[in-house]
């Protein structure tokens, strides 16, 4: 109900009591007609009460106020804004589902003064807000500015019909202008409520102006985005249309759709493949080039292959390391017997990896004779760490392109073997075995060992560049393991990049254990005898080791054991299945005539015959040295297919003996009237190295003094002209050879004392190892002397018949045993 001016003032004094309709997410402004759907019981009751108590002008009055939170279903007075709009209920229409559709019209702002107690609905006492507008120049300017901004807003916002612009342009009243425009703006609830509560029309227009300016900026940005997206879509559609045309032309020319499908497959792979930024850009560039080519051209094939290689590489695909050190140790011990140092190094790497989380892959080089398990150890390391295993044999590789690949300009160009192996592995952190690295050689095509310098350098291989790919590839996560039989064939710079782990030959007890644990079960199963009980005795195994193999490893031993099982298999088929025990005689019957003469110590002490120790690629060997004296003119004859270094050692030994002739009791006339012949048997086998110096010197002294040499003494060492004994290499292998031959005492250079820890403790306990510093110490240990402590300390007598006291030397026992 509304009144005239005087009546209105009177009503304001005493207040107006009307029902309140809480609104969700909507604010009704004056002069605004809004349809509402009402479903809450209290709200429907408020509407019915308003309709029941119409004013004298026959209009139902209700207060329209918004809730502070739309999700509140049963609001309290504190949940409702106390500033709203008095409105008329124009139409009320009940719906079948129990809700009510109502059409309301906002009339005037009003404040809630008091909530009256009422359980059915909210009944409030309100106070109408009087809006007074004084027209000023500033207000007129503000009205014009709002008209102008609204016009710009309507042009950008396509959701507002243009007719609305004409309607707003005809409004001059500032209060009504503000209320009409705000109804068409997408503002937040709190912003609209703030505008509703602003009583001054001038301030309301100012706020509205600011809000419209913000909305215009947002709409302008949206328009830019829409324009950009539209252009991109137009470009895409244009490309699609042209590609379809090109496809139609190709069909007319008889070319198939496979080329297009292939390009689509490459694009799909590129989307799903994680690669380096450089590689991704390269593929996109090559793909763009490929689209422009004829699918039948040779260059298209080259580009396709190139893209395939890049996409198929494991750029970031890696396996998870198994960093359990205890489990890794168990795996290594299961697969290999012994090999303590390599196993320790692998377990150290895993322990550090577990602590550091990121570690550059080590570059290990296993150096040792054939058959000791270098390659199989690398495979076992891959199993222990949970990595993929890749093997690349470098034996006989002469071309640098085998490592780095060929440039794409060549017909049939391909990446190097490194990249090919990584593709095959499907992982960028495998265990990569570079087998037989010492067998590479050089020719006019380049030096492959030089190409490996970058690969095996942890500081450089994170950006290895293959000639074919012409992209940087990260090899730093790869665990490189190299194998070699000897180190002298590997260039120095390459050796410097690797951590060398020497693997010596196996001792006889180790070979027996390996045969029992690994070789016999393996060969028994391989030859179809797994369900039979076959027992090979220890004497039989020792006979196979001594008489049918000559090696540091166990490869030949495995082959001979396989031969025994093949004979047993034939016997089983012929005579039926039965348990078989193989003794020494049966093993020799199966394997035939022994192939090798087992090196044993001399049976008796002799003059001029010394047991030396030598190192070969197959392990240690005993090397007998013979010296004899014969009438002549003082010549030194050296035979046995000796190398230059060994011949020089013989000359040095002879010079030392001549310089110490008086102290050894040798008449100097012997060197003028007799020739001395030094021979090393097995003349067909080349021999070289300086470690035979003490052996030759001892043989010369024994032959010239006619003193016997102990048969159970073996020796090794290089000598100088002053009689010092210098250190040698391969001490473990030489000591094992002495032990196999039944030697009791081994003379070694004093400087090699530090290497004794490499010799198994069991072997050390069975041998008497004597470190010597001078040749005199060697002679006191090796020669059969009555007073060893006096030998070589003072000149002996030169009387006839005494030690070296005559130039008439009898026949040497080396020729005719005493």
């Amino acid at each position: 109900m509304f009144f005239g001016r005087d009546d209105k003032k009177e009503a304001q004094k005493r207040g107006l009591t009307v029902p309140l309709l809480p609104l969700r997410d909507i604010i009704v402004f004056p002069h605004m007609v809004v349809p509402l759907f009402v479903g809450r019981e209290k709200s429907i009751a408020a509407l019915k009460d308003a309709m029941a108590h119409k004013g004298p002008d026959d209009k139902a009055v209700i207060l329209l106020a918004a809730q502070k939170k739309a999700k509140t279903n049963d609001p309290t007075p504190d949940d409702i804004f106390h500033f709203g709009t008095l409105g008329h209920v124009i139409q009320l229409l009940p719906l079948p589902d129990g809700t009510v559709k109502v059409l309301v019209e906002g009339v005037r702002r009003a404040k809630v003064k008091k909530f009256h107690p009422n359980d059915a609905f909210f009944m409030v006492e309100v106070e109408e807000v009087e809006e007074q507008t004084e027209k000023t120049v500033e207000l007129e300017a503000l009205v014009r500015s709002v008209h102008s901004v609204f016009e710009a807003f309507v042009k950008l916002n396509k959701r507002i019909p243009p007719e609305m612009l004409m309607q707003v342009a005809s409004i001059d009243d500032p209060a009504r202008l503000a209320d009409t425009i705000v109804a068409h703006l997408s503002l937040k609830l709190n912003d609209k409520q703030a505008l509703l509560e602003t009583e001054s029309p001038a301030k309301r227009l100012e706020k509205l102006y600011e809000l419209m300016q913000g909305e215009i900026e947002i709409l302008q940005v949206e328009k830019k985005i829409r324009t950009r997206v539209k252009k991109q879509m137009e470009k895409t559609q244009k490309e699609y249309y042209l590609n379809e045309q090109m496809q139609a032309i190709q069909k007319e020319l008889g070319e198939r759709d496979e080329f297009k499908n292939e390009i689509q497959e490459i694009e799909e792979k590129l989307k799903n493949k994680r690669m380096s930024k450089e590689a991704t850009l390269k593929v996109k560039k090559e793909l763009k080039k490929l689209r422009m080519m004829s699918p039948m051209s040779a260059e298209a094939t080259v580009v396709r292959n190139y893209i395939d290689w890049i996409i198929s590489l494991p750029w970031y695909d890696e396996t998870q390391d198994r960093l359990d050190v205890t489990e890794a140790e168990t795996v290594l011990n299961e697969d290999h017997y012994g090999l303590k140092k390599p196993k320790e190094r692998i377990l150290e790497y895993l322990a550090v990896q577990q602590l550091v989380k990121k570690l550059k892959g080590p570059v290990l080089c296993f150096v040792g004779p054939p058959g000791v398990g270098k390659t199989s150890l690398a495979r076992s390391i891959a199993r222990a760490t949970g990595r993929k295993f890749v093997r690349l044999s470098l034996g006989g590789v002469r071309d640098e392109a085998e490592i780095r690949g060929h440039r794409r300009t060549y017909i049939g160009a391909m990446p190097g073997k490194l990249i090919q192996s990584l593709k095959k592995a499907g992982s960028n952190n495998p265990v990569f075995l570079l087998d037989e690295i010492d067998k590479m050689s050089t020719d006019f095509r380049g030096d492959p060992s030089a190409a490996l310098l970058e690969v095996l350098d942890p500081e450089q291989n994170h950006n290895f560049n293959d000639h074919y790919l012409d992209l940087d590839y990260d090899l730093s996560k790869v665990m490189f393991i190299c194998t070699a039989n000897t180190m002298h064939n590997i260039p120095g710079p390459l050796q410097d990049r690797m951590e060398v782990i020497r693997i010596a030959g196996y001792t006889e007890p180790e070979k027996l254990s390996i045969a029992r644990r690994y070789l016999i079960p393996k060969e028994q199963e391989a030859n179809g005898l797994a369900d039979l009980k076959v027992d090979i005795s220890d004497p039989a195994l020792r006979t196979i080791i001594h008489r049918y193999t000559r090696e540091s490893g166990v490869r030949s031993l495995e082959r001979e054991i396989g031969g025994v099982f093949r004979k047993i298999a034939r016997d089983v088929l012929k005579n039926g299945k039965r348990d078989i025990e193989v003794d020494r005689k049966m093993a020799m019957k199966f394997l035939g005539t022994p192939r090798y003469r087992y090196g044993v110590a001399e049976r008796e002490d002799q003059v001029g015959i010394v047991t030396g120790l030598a190192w070969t690629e197959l392990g240690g060997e005993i090397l007998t040295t013979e010296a004899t004296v014969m009438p002549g003119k003082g010549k030194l004859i050296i035979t046995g297919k000796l190398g230059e270094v060994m011949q020089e050692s013989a000359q040095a030994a002879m010079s030392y003996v001549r310089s110490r002739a008086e102290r050894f009791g040798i008449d100097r006339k012997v060197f003028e009237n007799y020739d001395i012949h030094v021979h090393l048997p097995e003349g067909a086998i080349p021999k070289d190295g300086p470690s035979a110096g003490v052996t030759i010197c001892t043989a010369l002294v024994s032959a010239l003094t006619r003193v016997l040499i102990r048969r159970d003494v073996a020796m090794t060492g290089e000598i100088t002209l002053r009689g010092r004994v210098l250190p040698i290499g391969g001490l473990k292998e030489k000591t094992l050879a002495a032990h196999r031959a039944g030697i009791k005492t081994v003379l070694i250079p004093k400087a090699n004392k530090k290497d004794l820890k490499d010799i198994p403790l069991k072997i050390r306990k069975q041998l008497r190892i004597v470190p010597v510093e001078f040749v005199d110490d060697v002679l006191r240990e090796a020669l059969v002397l009555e007073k060893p402590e006096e030998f070589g300390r003072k000149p002996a007598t030169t009387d006839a018949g005494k030690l070296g006291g005559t130039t008439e030397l009898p026949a040497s026992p080396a020729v005719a045993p005493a």
Side-chain angles (χ1 to χ4, degrees):
M1 61 188 69
F2 292 96
F3 310 91
R5 185 176 293 274
D6 295 334
D7 295 334
K8 184 167 61 180
K9 288 181 180 178
E10 186 65 27
Q12 284 178 344
K13 288 178 183 177
R14 66 175 186 272
L16 179 66
T17 301
V18 294
L20 182 142
L21 180 64
L23 305 177
R24 300 189 203 221
D25 278 337
I26 187 171
I27 291 177
V28 178
F29 285 86
H31 316 294
M32 185 176 173
V33 179
V34 183
L36 301 173
F37 289 90
V38 181
R40 288 184 285 193
E41 292 180 4
K42 279 189 175 184
S43 300
I44 294 172
L47 286 169
K48 288 180 178 179
D49 183 79
M51 294 297 288
H53 299 87
K54 292 183 179 180
D57 52 358
D58 198 30
K59 290 186 178 179
V61 182
I62 193 166
L63 181 67
L64 305 165
Q67 290 181 195
K68 293 178 181 177
K69 292 184 179 178
K71 292 183 180 179
T72 307
N73 287 324
D74 191 13
T76 63
D78 292 334
D79 295 327
I80 301 170
F81 288 111
H82 288 197
F83 204 107
T85 303
L86 280 172
H88 291 158
V89 179
I90 300 172
Q91 186 181 9
L92 190 69
L93 179 64
L95 299 176
D97 60 354
T99 60
V100 174
K101 181 180 180 182
V102 61
L103 192 65
V104 296
E105 179 186 9
V107 179
R108 188 180 299 277
R109 285 172 171 79
K111 294 180 185 176
V112 177
K113 292 176 68 179
K114 183 180 179 183
F115 278 84
H116 290 291
N118 190 347
D119 294 335
F121 55 88
F122 291 112
M123 182 64 78
V124 294
E125 185 180 329
V126 299
E127 177 186 350
E128 295 182 41
V129 177
E130 180 68 25
E131 296 183 8
Q132 295 179 354
T133 306
E134 294 182 5
K135 290 194 175 182
T136 62
V137 176
E138 185 179 349
L139 185 60
E140 182 65 26
L142 191 57
V143 169
R144 289 185 182 182
S145 297
V146 170
H147 275 299
S148 175
V149 171
F150 184 70
E151 185 179 351
F153 178 75
V154 172
K155 288 180 180 178
L156 289 170
N157 193 342
K158 302 300 182 184
R159 286 172 290 186
I160 300 176
E163 296 82 15
M164 191 65 204
L165 191 60
M166 299 296 293
Q167 183 183 340
V168 171
S170 62
I171 300 174
D172 292 330
D173 180 26
R176 185 167 182 177
L177 177 65
D179 292 340
T180 304
I181 290 176
V182 74
H184 295 87
L185 297 182
S186 302
L187 301 177
K188 293 180 181 177
L189 185 72
N190 290 333
D191 291 336
K192 286 189 175 183
Q193 182 67 29
L195 283 168
L196 182 67
E197 294 179 4
T198 305
E199 297 179 10
S200 169
K203 290 184 178 179
R204 207 181 308 153
L205 284 173
E206 284 183 12
K207 283 187 179 179
L208 190 61
Y209 182 82
E210 290 177 8
L211 290 169
M212 279 198 296
Q213 286 284 16
E215 286 292 313
I216 285 172
E217 288 181 9
I218 293 171
L219 289 170
Q220 285 174 340
V221 173
E222 287 181 353
K223 185 179 179 182
K224 285 182 182 177
I225 293 171
R226 282 198 303 271
T227 305
R228 190 163 61 242
V229 171
K230 185 180 178 183
K231 285 183 179 178
Q232 185 64 34
M233 288 178 64
E234 287 175 354
K235 182 182 177 184
T236 306
Q237 288 173 347
K238 181 182 176 182
E239 288 178 355
Y240 175 77
Y241 175 70
L242 292 173
N243 282 329
E244 288 295 318
Q245 279 190 327
M246 187 180 294
Q247 184 181 2
I249 293 169
Q250 287 175 352
K251 276 186 178 180
E252 290 296 323
L253 292 172
E255 296 174 354
R256 295 172 293 176
D257 290 342
E258 291 179 6
F259 185 61
K260 182 186 175 186
N261 294 336
E262 192 174 350
I263 290 177
Q264 288 177 349
E265 285 178 13
I266 293 171
E267 288 174 342
E268 284 297 319
K269 287 181 183 177
L270 186 59
K271 286 179 186 176
N272 301 325
K273 182 72 175 181
R274 187 170 168 232
M275 301 188 296
S276 68
K277 187 177 179 181
E278 183 188 11
T280 305
L281 292 174
K282 190 80 171 177
V283 171
K284 287 181 178 178
K285 184 180 177 183
E286 293 294 323
L287 199 56
K288 186 177 179 182
K289 193 191 300 181
L290 184 61
R291 286 196 192 97
M292 307 301 294
M293 294 179 185
S294 168
M296 304 305 291
S297 66
E299 192 176 356
T301 306
V302 172
V303 173
R304 270 202 303 266
N305 289 340
Y306 179 68
I307 293 173
D308 283 341
W309 269 108
I310 295 177
I311 292 179
S312 60
L313 287 177
W315 293 91
Y316 295 103
D317 303 331
E318 59 185 66
T319 53
Q320 189 69 32
D321 280 351
R322 188 190 299 130
L323 299 176
D324 189 338
V325 177
T326 306
E327 186 181 347
E329 186 174 9
T330 304
V331 171
L332 291 173
N333 289 333
E334 280 177 5
D335 291 352
H336 289 84
Y337 182 84
L339 304 179
K340 184 179 177 183
K341 276 190 176 181
K343 290 179 181 177
E344 282 182 355
R345 180 63 185 87
I346 300 308
L347 297 176
E348 288 167 7
Y349 166 72
L350 292 177
V352 174
Q353 181 86 340
Q354 192 170 354
L355 295 172
V356 177
K357 302 301 180 190
K358 181 171 176 58
L359 184 68
K360 291 177 181 175
V363 180
L364 306 179
C365 183
F366 297 152
V367 180
V372 294
K374 300 185 293 296
T375 303
S376 60
L377 179 60
R379 197 183 300 275
S380 182
I381 290 167
R383 191 166 80 89
T385 55
R387 295 188 177 196
K388 299 286 185 68
F389 178 74
V390 184
R391 176 180 171 272
L392 174 59
S393 178
L394 297 175
V397 172
R398 298 170 177 266
D399 190 356
E400 179 195 351
E402 293 284 322
I403 308 298
R404 280 196 171 276
H406 299 83
R407 300 196 184 277
R408 279 196 293 157
T409 51
Y410 297 105
I411 296 172
M414 288 184 70
K417 290 289 180 62
L418 278 169
I419 296 296
Q420 291 182 39
S421 301
L422 287 173
K423 177 189 173 183
K424 189 186 300 181
S427 164
N428 73 337
N429 66 334
V431 172
F432 203 123
L433 176 64
L434 298 172
D435 215 0
E436 308 293 354
I437 198 170
D438 58 329
K439 306 297 190 297
M440 287 188 298
S441 52
T442 306
D443 66 4
F444 64 92
R445 290 169 290 187
D447 185 359
S449 63
L452 282 175
L453 294 178
E454 180 186 5
V455 175
L456 299 181
D457 190 344
E459 300 299 327
Q460 298 180 36
N461 62 10
H462 61 276
N463 54 2
F464 170 71
N465 195 290
D466 186 272
H467 286 159
Y468 180 80
L469 297 180
D470 197 24
L471 295 168
D472 289 341
Y473 191 89
D474 186 5
L475 295 176
S476 62
K477 293 182 180 179
V478 178
M479 185 176 187
F480 285 105
I481 297 178
C482 308
T483 67
N485 296 130
T486 57
M487 288 295 292
H488 61 266
N489 289 333
I490 304 174
L494 194 56
Q495 290 186 31
D496 185 55
R497 283 161 168 78
M498 301 185 293
E499 182 180 342
V500 177
I501 298 176
R502 295 190 179 274
I503 301 177
Y506 294 114
T507 62
E508 184 181 308
E510 286 176 338
K511 286 184 179 181
L512 285 171
S513 297
I514 291 169
R516 287 268 175 232
R517 289 190 189 185
Y518 305 103
L519 304 184
I520 291 176
K522 179 182 175 183
E523 289 299 324
Q524 187 172 352
E525 185 177 354
N527 288 281
L529 300 172
D531 56 343
L532 288 183
K533 183 180 178 183
V534 179
D535 183 26
I536 301 179
S537 66
D538 283 352
L541 282 175
R542 286 195 181 93
T543 300
I544 295 172
I545 292 169
H546 295 163
R547 306 300 301 275
Y548 294 92
T549 66
R550 178 177 285 180
E551 58 175 351
S552 293
V554 292
R555 190 173 288 146
S556 295
L557 178 60
E558 180 180 0
R559 202 158 39 237
E560 298 303 325
I561 290 173
V564 170
F565 277 107
R566 286 194 296 275
K567 293 288 193 297
I568 292 173
R570 182 181 174 188
D571 184 63
V572 165
L573 289 176
K574 186 176 180 181
N575 301 319
K577 293 185 177 181
R578 55 191 174 84
D579 294 343
I580 296 175
E581 292 186 6
V582 180
D583 57 10
R584 180 175 176 275
K585 287 185 179 179
M586 188 179 291
M588 294 184 71
K589 178 184 175 184
F590 284 156
L591 297 177
T593 306
R595 295 184 184 85
Y596 302 107
R597 181 177 61 84
Y598 181 54
V600 293
E602 296 291 330
R603 294 183 179 179
E604 56 187 14
D605 300 340
Q606 298 185 59
V607 172
I609 297 181
V610 186
T611 303
L613 298 174
W615 178 91
T616 70
E617 290 187 5
L618 300 174
E621 292 286 343
I622 62 168
L623 186 66
T624 304
T625 303
E626 300 176 349
T628 187
V629 182
M630 66 198 85
K633 297 182 180 180
K635 289 194 300 182
L636 175 64
I637 304 166
I638 306 168
T639 57
K641 203 172 184 181
L642 309 184
E644 290 184 8
V645 175
M646 190 170 278
Q647 290 184 29
E648 290 172 357
S649 292
Q651 295 285 353
M654 187 64 193
S655 298
Y656 174 74
V657 172
R658 294 185 68 174
S659 67
R660 302 269 294 173
E662 291 183 6
R663 288 186 177 273
F664 293 149
I666 301 172
D667 192 342
R668 292 191 178 279
K669 293 180 181 179
V670 171
F671 301 109
E672 298 173 2
N673 301 324
Y674 288 85
D675 291 340
I676 302 171
H677 187 168
V678 177
H679 177 67
L680 279 77
E682 298 186 22
I685 301 173
K687 310 170 191 72
D688 203 2
S691 61
V694 293
T695 312
I696 296 172
C697 183
T698 304
L700 289 173
V701 172
S702 172
L704 291 168
T705 59
R706 319 306 300 161
V707 177
L708 298 173
I709 298 174
R710 297 183 187 278
R711 66 183 180 277
D712 60 351
V713 174
M715 62 189 71
T716 181
E718 181 182 356
I719 68 165
T720 68
L721 292 176
R722 295 175 296 161
R724 283 190 174 276
V725 181
L726 301 182
I728 45 82
L731 181 66
K732 178 183 177 182
E733 289 84 353
K734 292 177 179 179
T735 311
L736 296 180
H739 178 262
R740 283 199 302 268
I743 300 294
K744 302 298 182 185
T745 303
V746 178
L747 309 181
I748 66 169
K750 192 173 183 180
N752 282 110
K753 195 174 180 181
K754 64 183 187 306
D755 300 321
L756 290 175
K757 63 179 183 297
D758 295 333
I759 302 170
L761 182 62
K762 187 177 179 181
I763 303 296
R764 274 185 279 165
K765 286 182 178 179
Q766 294 177 8
L767 289 174
R768 176 173 170 258
I769 301 174
V770 182
V772 293
E773 193 173 2
F774 297 96
V775 173
D776 290 1
D777 302 329
V778 175
L779 297 174
R780 292 189 195 102
E781 289 286 344
L783 300 178
V784 181
L785 300 169
E786 292 181 5
K787 296 181 179 180
E789 67 278 359
E790 295 181 1
F791 185 76
R793 295 188 182 277
K794 57 184 179 179
T797 177
T798 56
D799 294 340
K802 298 283 183 171
L803 182 63
T806 176
T807 56
E808 298 295 328
L809 289 172
S812 171
V815 178

